[in-house]
Amino acid sequence: MGILLQNVVVGPLKENTYIVGDKGSGECIVIDPGAEGKRILSEIHRLGLTLKLIVNTHGHADHTGAVAVIKEESSVDYAINDGDVLFLERSLESSIVDMIVDFRMPPMPDRCLHNG
Protein backbone atom coordinates (compact mmCIF):
# COMPACT_ATOMS: atom_id res chain seq x y z
CA MET A 1 0.00 0.00 0.00
CA GLY A 2 1.08 3.62 0.28
CA ILE A 3 0.84 7.01 -1.29
CA LEU A 4 2.14 7.94 -4.71
CA LEU A 5 3.10 11.56 -5.43
CA GLN A 6 3.92 12.53 -9.01
CA ASN A 7 4.91 16.06 -10.04
CA VAL A 8 4.11 17.12 -13.62
CA VAL A 9 5.56 20.48 -14.71
CA VAL A 10 3.24 22.08 -17.27
CA GLY A 11 2.90 25.14 -19.44
CA PRO A 12 5.20 28.03 -20.28
CA LEU A 13 5.20 29.19 -16.65
CA LYS A 14 6.46 25.76 -15.51
CA GLU A 15 3.58 25.34 -13.08
CA ASN A 16 3.69 22.32 -10.77
CA THR A 17 0.75 19.96 -11.06
CA TYR A 18 0.57 17.11 -8.57
CA ILE A 19 -0.99 13.70 -8.90
CA VAL A 20 -1.57 12.19 -5.47
CA GLY A 21 -2.60 8.56 -5.55
CA ASP A 22 -3.32 5.69 -3.24
CA LYS A 23 -1.41 2.60 -4.37
CA GLY A 24 -3.91 0.29 -2.66
CA SER A 25 -7.11 1.62 -4.23
CA GLY A 26 -5.53 2.94 -7.43
CA GLU A 27 -7.43 6.20 -7.00
CA CYS A 28 -5.96 9.68 -7.24
CA ILE A 29 -6.60 13.39 -7.19
CA VAL A 30 -4.94 15.99 -9.38
CA ILE A 31 -3.90 19.29 -7.82
CA ASP A 32 -3.45 22.55 -9.77
CA PRO A 33 -3.73 21.42 -13.40
CA GLY A 34 -2.57 24.66 -14.99
CA ALA A 35 -2.04 23.57 -18.61
CA GLU A 36 -1.60 20.51 -20.83
CA GLY A 37 -4.69 18.69 -19.58
CA LYS A 38 -4.34 15.77 -21.99
CA ARG A 39 -0.73 15.26 -20.92
CA ILE A 40 -1.79 15.19 -17.26
CA LEU A 41 -4.50 12.64 -18.05
CA SER A 42 -1.94 10.53 -19.95
CA GLU A 43 0.32 10.56 -16.90
CA ILE A 44 -2.54 9.44 -14.66
CA HIS A 45 -3.25 6.60 -17.09
CA ARG A 46 0.46 5.69 -17.32
CA LEU A 47 0.57 5.42 -13.53
CA GLY A 48 -2.42 3.05 -13.63
CA LEU A 49 -4.57 5.36 -11.53
CA THR A 50 -8.23 6.37 -11.65
CA LEU A 51 -8.92 10.07 -11.18
CA LYS A 52 -11.50 10.86 -8.49
CA LEU A 53 -11.20 14.64 -7.95
CA ILE A 54 -9.64 17.82 -9.37
CA VAL A 55 -8.47 20.30 -6.72
CA ASN A 56 -7.07 23.81 -6.97
CA THR A 57 -5.02 25.40 -4.21
CA HIS A 58 -6.12 28.80 -5.54
CA GLY A 59 -7.87 30.30 -8.53
CA HIS A 60 -5.10 31.91 -10.57
CA ALA A 61 -5.23 31.11 -14.30
CA ASP A 62 -1.83 29.36 -14.32
CA HIS A 63 -3.24 26.82 -11.85
CA THR A 64 -6.70 26.38 -13.42
CA GLY A 65 -6.04 26.44 -17.18
CA ALA A 66 -6.52 22.70 -17.72
CA VAL A 67 -9.36 22.05 -15.26
CA ALA A 68 -12.04 22.20 -17.99
CA VAL A 69 -10.26 19.68 -20.24
CA ILE A 70 -9.63 17.23 -17.41
CA LYS A 71 -13.16 17.55 -16.05
CA GLU A 72 -14.72 17.00 -19.49
CA GLU A 73 -12.55 13.93 -20.16
CA SER A 74 -12.97 12.34 -16.73
CA SER A 75 -16.38 13.54 -15.47
CA VAL A 76 -15.04 13.94 -11.92
CA ASP A 77 -15.87 16.68 -9.44
CA TYR A 78 -13.84 19.86 -9.18
CA ALA A 79 -13.10 21.56 -5.84
CA ILE A 80 -11.57 24.88 -4.82
CA ASN A 81 -11.64 27.11 -1.76
CA ASP A 82 -14.84 29.14 -1.64
CA GLY A 83 -12.76 32.33 -1.37
CA ASP A 84 -11.22 31.69 -4.79
CA VAL A 85 -14.40 31.31 -6.83
CA LEU A 86 -14.17 35.02 -7.69
CA PHE A 87 -10.79 34.39 -9.37
CA LEU A 88 -12.41 31.74 -11.58
CA GLU A 89 -15.05 34.18 -12.71
CA ARG A 90 -12.35 36.69 -13.65
CA SER A 91 -9.84 34.29 -15.24
CA LEU A 92 -10.10 35.80 -18.71
CA GLU A 93 -9.06 39.19 -17.31
CA SER A 94 -5.63 37.81 -16.38
CA SER A 95 -2.66 38.62 -18.62
CA ILE A 96 -1.34 35.13 -17.84
CA VAL A 97 -4.12 33.59 -19.95
CA ASP A 98 -2.44 34.74 -23.17
CA MET A 99 0.73 32.83 -22.23
CA ILE A 100 -1.10 29.50 -21.71
CA VAL A 101 -1.68 28.17 -25.22
CA ASP A 102 -4.32 25.60 -24.27
CA PHE A 103 -6.07 27.67 -21.58
CA ARG A 104 -9.76 26.94 -21.13
CA MET A 105 -12.04 28.90 -18.84
CA PRO A 106 -12.41 26.78 -15.68
CA PRO A 107 -15.90 25.67 -14.72
CA MET A 108 -17.55 26.65 -11.48
CA PRO A 109 -16.64 24.14 -8.76
CA ASP A 110 -18.79 21.18 -7.84
CA ARG A 111 -17.54 21.50 -4.27
CA CYS A 112 -16.24 24.46 -2.30
CA LEU A 113 -13.54 23.84 0.24
CA HIS A 114 -13.48 25.77 3.49
CA ASN A 115 -10.66 26.51 5.92
CA GLY A 116 -10.54 23.90 8.63
Side-chain angles (χ1 to χ4, degrees):
M1 304 302 168
I3 300 296
L4 174 103
L5 175 63
Q6 181 71 36
N7 180 37
V8 183
V9 180
V10 297
L13 299 172
K14 304 296 183 201
E15 191 272 324
N16 290 303
T17 296
Y18 296 96
I19 299 166
V20 181
D22 179 286
K23 291 180 182 177
S25 70
E27 297 177 341
C28 73
I29 66 172
V30 64
I31 303 170
D32 289 340
E36 301 180 62
K38 295 207 183 263
R39 180 172 156 231
I40 294 166
L41 287 167
S42 292
E43 184 66 10
I44 291 168
H45 179 73
R46 185 190 72 75
L47 293 167
L49 299 171
T50 301
L51 183 61
K52 291 297 182 177
L53 183 66
I54 304 163
V55 179
N56 275 128
T57 58
H58 62 286
H60 290 161
D62 60 323
H63 289 252
T64 63
V67 170
V69 169
I70 293 173
K71 184 165 176 50
E72 288 169 10
E73 294 282 330
S74 65
S75 299
V76 300
D77 280 357
Y78 167 49
I80 192 170
N81 184 281
D82 56 349
D84 279 279
V85 172
L86 178 63
F87 285 110
L88 299 178
E89 295 170 347
R90 301 174 85 187
S91 288
L92 291 177
E93 297 173 15
S94 172
S95 60
I96 293 172
V97 169
D98 295 333
M99 295 174 19
I100 304 169
V101 176
D102 60 348
F103 178 85
R104 294 263 312 276
M105 183 73 176
M108 287 295 108
D110 300 296
R111 303 182 202 178
C112 283
L113 305 174
H114 309 279
N115 291 337

